[in-house]
Amino acid sequence: MPNYATQEIRNLAVVGHGGAGKTTLVEALLAHAGAVDSAGTVERGSTVSDFEPEEKSHQHSMFAAVAGFDRNGHHVNLVDTPGYPDFSGRSLAALPAAETALVVVDAKSGVQTTTRRMMEAAAEQGLCRMIVVNRIDTDDVDCEAVLAQIQDAFGTECLPLNLPAAAGAGVADCFFAPDHAASVAFGSVEEAHTQMVDQVVEMDENLMELYLEQGDEMAPEQLHDAFRLALRDGHLIPVCFTSATTGAGVSELADIIERVIPSPVDGNQPRFLSGDGEPVAVTPDPDGHVVAHVFKLALDPFVGRMSVFRVHQGTVTKDSQLTVGDARKPIKIAHLYRLQGKETQEVDAGIPGDICAVTKIDEIHQNAVLHDASESADLSMGSVALPAPMFGLAIQAKSRGDESKISDTLNKLSAEDPTFQVEHTSTTNETVIRGVGELHLRMMLERMKERYNVEVDTRTPKIAYKETIGAPAEGHHRHKKQTGGAGQFGEVYLRVEPMERGGGFAFENAVVGGVIPSQFIPAVEKGVRQVLETGAVAGYPMEDVKVTVYDGKHHSVDSKEIAFVTAAKRAFMDAVGKAKPAVLEPIVNIEVTAPQENMGDIAGDLSSKRGRISGTTALSGGMVSVAGQAPLSELENYQSELKSVTGGAGSYTIELSHYDPVPRPVQQQLESEFNPSTDDD
């Protein structure tokens, strides 16, 4: 068993925008606690967290990594996460492993896109939040302005727990043992102390009365429980200052983590749901049934499948028999590991709050719930909303015979990354990989080449248009074929009518009198479905259509299944041609974040792309958010265009909203490009 209890565990997800110094800060904390001999650097590729070859090569985090240290009887788990928006899905997936989000802000750059996203996601997950302003030793930083920006973006509950000294030489404590005479770069220790205590005592009426009696004489121990309650309720978001490179504020940050950051016992309990979506109580009881959540999956050519999970209830041992979700057959935990970056240390047990790993168990998948009781079989973690993988590339093997190898590699990559998707579009006959952005897919292609020795050619994928109809109509076709011997005969009358958007497809048999024998009705539906798959006017799948077959004829000798399949196909196409057919295109919600001075250019550009602006929001730091909708087909090169317009300062997110009919000229062009086969014989 571990030499600590659940009450002594601290789990923190280290999140923030790329370049804020998260990995360097993790390294500084590990070195301070003696978990590593000396702090590594990103530049030398010697950090504990960034151990993947791609991370060392590009000098920024791309995967979530777990590292930890022991200090004064406490065990601290740090989950270092990527900061670039393209890899935000991997960061968001790691949030359920922690009670606290340690949001790192660069003192020079201030609040950025990923800062906002992670603060919002952590709040939605019920995590405590603490902000660390890093790199306070950088030349020409204005820490006072950064604090004001933080409070403007996230509220006045963001209060400094310490203040930086001049030139970032150190920090002055404003809570535990405040020195009111300390020299600080801005403000005063006394004022910061008063603001912090005022905020904390609001959580407890009795404490408030005591504070009014004692004033500043109250000891931090008296405020401890109320402090943690304020963190849990989001009533307080402490702000600390550090320089991970010089070590300024690192020891103080370690003290704060140890003394006031909630343990798994004190923090908000994770959101587990039953099969019908109802909340299920899971408590950090080491003697309860095991409930653990897999928040990371890694497939290593040498180690195999490594599943990293957080224990939320019960105790996992090396001999535990656990079940993955609703699977019938349990798995045996032969080896249980604690992680320190890529290094593993075998342990005997994992208690509630522990982050552990197992290897070479293929049944475990991303976001799985592991348990040892049948009543937990339908449990799921209330998952974080991940960014939709809308950026796509069509891929094709460079070398013949690599198709099966590519398929296996793509399956491995998609198992690791919840925001990497692979789809095969039958209508366009393309294999398309989708990710959050261009950088995301570029790194995945690099991983395919370097790790799995698979190379592909890429191109822009075809837009996934759809077809539908706008009015009811009827169609008819008689299929008769006689070439000597047995012939073919089938005649079908049917009507089509549009369904509401999203209605799918409905088929109704209204034939009476046996004019089409019942054994041939499935053949009629089969013929209709073949057209639904391949399209009737432009070669794209058709949906939101109801088809009713109501009459027809058959021949006692020549009628057979193929005859009614063919007759139904052509009768359906006949009806569609009269039913105001329409090609639908995907419309996406788009939100662009860019400097204020670029707002006019961005709004004008979106309008030129048949986009509609729904609103603009002024953000701190001279930034603005422009929200609207636009056809996906108009955004194929938008990432590079936005980068050019904003000098690399702009970013955007898109998600599918709905499908709308394309303009008539676009539909005419798509129809002219479509050359359906007429050889049904």
Side-chain angles (χ1 to χ4, degrees):
M1 295 293 288
N3 57 357
Y4 51 81
T6 298
Q7 292 86 342
E8 279 78 52
I9 297 176
R10 305 288 183 267
N11 291 315
L12 299 96
V14 186
V15 300
H17 201 82
K22 298 183 298 299
T23 299
T24 305
L25 181 61
V26 168
E27 202 71 18
L29 287 167
L30 295 175
H32 167 74
V36 295
D37 294 333
S38 61
T41 67
V42 173
E43 293 75 18
R44 293 198 305 266
S46 55
T47 65
V48 172
S49 301
D50 288 355
F51 56 85
E52 294 284 359
E54 302 96 315
E55 295 176 311
K56 293 182 178 183
S57 172
H58 295 278
Q59 296 189 0
H60 59 73
S61 301
M62 299 182 189
F63 303 90
V66 179
F69 61 85
D70 295 309
R71 187 177 189 267
N72 298 330
H74 293 79
H75 181 69
V76 179
N77 291 312
L78 302 171
V79 185
D80 185 17
T81 67
Y84 282 86
D86 281 31
F87 306 114
S88 60
R90 300 170 183 176
S91 302
L92 292 165
L95 291 182
E99 279 76 43
T100 302
L102 194 71
V103 184
V104 183
V105 174
D106 181 14
K108 189 79 172 178
S109 304
V111 175
Q112 296 174 274
T113 306
T114 305
T115 318
R116 296 175 183 278
R117 182 162 202 168
M118 289 302 164
M119 284 288 286
E120 293 171 1
E124 291 171 0
Q125 286 292 298
L127 270 62
C128 306
R129 293 169 291 169
M130 184 167 74
I131 296 174
V132 176
V133 179
N134 190 31
R135 294 182 170 170
I136 60 174
D137 61 317
T138 308
D139 293 338
D140 301 324
V141 298
D142 187 344
C143 290
E144 183 176 15
V146 172
L147 178 60
Q149 186 187 30
I150 289 170
Q151 292 176 333
D152 180 55
F154 307 120
T156 55
E157 59 267 30
C158 300
L159 295 173
L161 205 52
N162 55 41
L163 289 171
V171 298
D173 179 20
C174 300
F175 182 72
F176 298 107
D179 179 2
H180 298 321
S183 175
V184 292
F186 68 92
S188 71
V189 171
E190 182 176 6
E191 180 185 2
H193 177 75
T194 301
Q195 289 178 339
M196 181 68 68
V197 175
D198 285 348
Q199 191 78 358
V200 169
V201 297
E202 289 180 0
M203 302 302 298
D204 188 319
E205 290 184 5
N206 294 329
L207 197 61
M208 174 72 80
E209 293 179 6
L210 189 62
Y211 174 56
L212 293 175
E213 295 175 6
Q214 297 184 1
D216 289 342
E217 296 178 4
M218 293 187 70
E221 290 74 17
Q222 294 174 282
L223 301 169
H224 183 271
D225 291 343
F227 191 103
R228 284 191 171 174
L229 184 59
L231 279 176
R232 288 173 54 185
D233 286 1
H235 187 69
L236 173 64
I237 302 174
V239 180
C240 304
F241 294 84
T242 66
S243 169
T245 53
T246 68
V250 172
S251 175
E252 292 81 355
L253 178 59
D255 283 337
I256 292 165
I257 291 171
E258 179 184 319
R259 296 177 69 172
V260 297
I261 292 301
S263 73
V265 175
D266 304 315
N268 291 319
Q269 298 305 309
R271 300 174 183 173
F272 282 93
L273 305 175
S274 65
D276 55 6
E278 293 298 317
V280 176
V282 173
T283 59
D285 177 8
D287 298 321
H289 289 297
V290 171
V291 176
H293 173 248
V294 179
F295 66 91
K296 178 185 175 182
L297 204 66
L299 277 69
D300 187 279
F302 305 104
V303 178
R305 179 180 292 240
M306 175 176 284
S307 307
V308 187
F309 58 89
R310 156 76 188 273
V311 183
H312 290 278
Q313 179 177 284
T315 299
V316 180
T317 66
K318 289 196 295 184
D319 298 322
S320 291
Q321 297 274 346
L322 300 181
T323 303
V324 183
D326 58 359
R328 296 183 179 180
K329 185 178 179 181
I331 57 174
K332 183 178 180 180
I333 305 299
H335 300 280
L336 190 66
Y337 301 100
R338 179 185 296 170
L339 299 178
Q340 189 75 321
K342 70 175 179 179
E343 303 298 330
T344 59
Q345 175 189 356
E346 191 161 359
V347 294
D348 294 328
I351 61 175
D354 269 336
I355 294 177
C356 301
V358 293
T359 58
K360 301 178 181 178
I361 301 180
D362 293 339
E363 293 86 348
I364 299 179
H365 55 85
Q366 174 78 28
N367 207 35
V369 172
L370 311 180
H371 61 91
D372 65 354
S374 59
E375 59 263 32
S376 303
D378 63 347
L379 281 188
S380 62
M381 171 66 76
S383 57
V384 186
L386 301 180
M390 297 295 292
F391 187 86
L393 287 174
I395 62 171
Q396 186 175 356
K398 274 194 173 183
S399 304
R400 284 192 174 185
D402 273 359
E403 286 77 12
S404 61
K405 192 175 180 181
I406 288 176
S407 177
D408 181 60
T409 299
L410 293 176
N411 287 335
K412 291 177 179 178
L413 293 177
S414 58
E416 286 183 309
D417 190 334
T419 55
F420 178 74
Q421 293 183 358
V422 183
E423 59 189 45
H424 183 79
T425 307
S426 59
T427 54
T428 59
N429 195 29
E430 289 182 320
T431 297
V432 178
I433 57 174
R434 296 196 181 277
V436 177
E438 181 184 13
L439 177 63
H440 185 194
L441 289 192
R442 184 152 36 96
M443 292 301 101
M444 298 303 275
L445 293 172
E446 183 177 316
R447 194 169 180 83
M448 289 176 65
K449 179 180 178 181
E450 299 299 328
R451 171 162 287 197
Y452 299 105
N453 196 30
V454 171
E455 292 189 69
V456 295
D457 292 321
T458 64
R459 62 180 181 274
T460 302
K462 298 174 183 178
I463 298 298
Y465 294 106
K466 296 180 179 180
E467 296 179 12
T468 191
I469 58 174
E474 296 190 353
H476 160 252
H477 184 77
R478 172 184 287 188
H479 176 70
K480 184 177 181 181
K481 182 178 180 182
Q482 193 73 44
T483 56
Q488 295 181 13
F489 181 86
E491 187 170 5
V492 172
Y493 290 84
L494 53 77
R495 68 175 65 95
V496 298
E497 53 188 299
M499 300 173 66
E500 63 181 31
R501 199 66 48 83
F505 168 66
F507 180 83
E508 181 180 347
N509 175 19
V511 173
V512 295
V515 291
I516 299 179
S518 58
Q519 68 265 30
F520 293 130
I521 296 299
V524 174
E525 182 175 355
K526 181 179 179 180
V528 170
R529 286 188 178 275
Q530 287 182 2
V531 179
L532 289 175
E533 292 174 3
T534 59
V537 294
Y540 297 99
M542 179 169 284
E543 60 179 27
D544 304 337
V545 178
K546 179 180 180 181
V547 176
T548 303
V549 54
Y550 64 89
D551 199 2
K553 291 182 181 179
H554 75 286
H555 188 277
S556 58
V557 176
D558 292 342
S559 286
K560 47 182 63 72
E561 179 180 342
I562 184 61
F564 278 99
V565 169
T566 302
K569 286 173 63 176
R570 294 189 172 173
F572 183 45
M573 294 184 71
D574 178 42
V576 168
K578 307 169 187 174
K580 298 182 180 179
V583 177
L584 305 175
E585 64 179 340
I587 305 297
V588 297
N589 295 322
I590 181 168
E591 183 175 351
V592 184
T593 302
Q596 177 77 38
E597 58 267 23
N598 299 126
M599 184 181 74
D601 292 335
I602 290 169
D605 183 54
L606 285 176
S607 296
S608 71
K609 298 179 184 299
R610 296 191 282 125
R612 297 187 295 272
I613 306 298
S614 59
T616 59
T617 304
L619 306 175
S620 58
M623 303 293 281
V624 65
S625 171
V626 180
Q629 293 185 334
L632 182 60
S633 61
E634 299 283 350
L635 300 174
E636 289 182 350
N637 300 310
Y638 194 64
Q639 196 156 35
S640 58
E641 293 173 8
L642 182 63
K643 183 178 180 180
S644 175
V645 170
T646 64
S651 62
Y652 76 101
T653 59
I654 58 174
E655 62 180 1
L656 180 65
S657 171
H658 61 283
Y659 273 78
D660 267 352
V662 299
R664 186 60 191 166
V666 176
Q667 178 160 333
Q668 290 175 339
Q669 179 182 350
L670 293 172
E671 289 178 1
S672 66
E673 294 171 354
F674 177 52
N675 184 25
S677 172
T678 57
D679 185 10
D680 293 302
D681 300 333

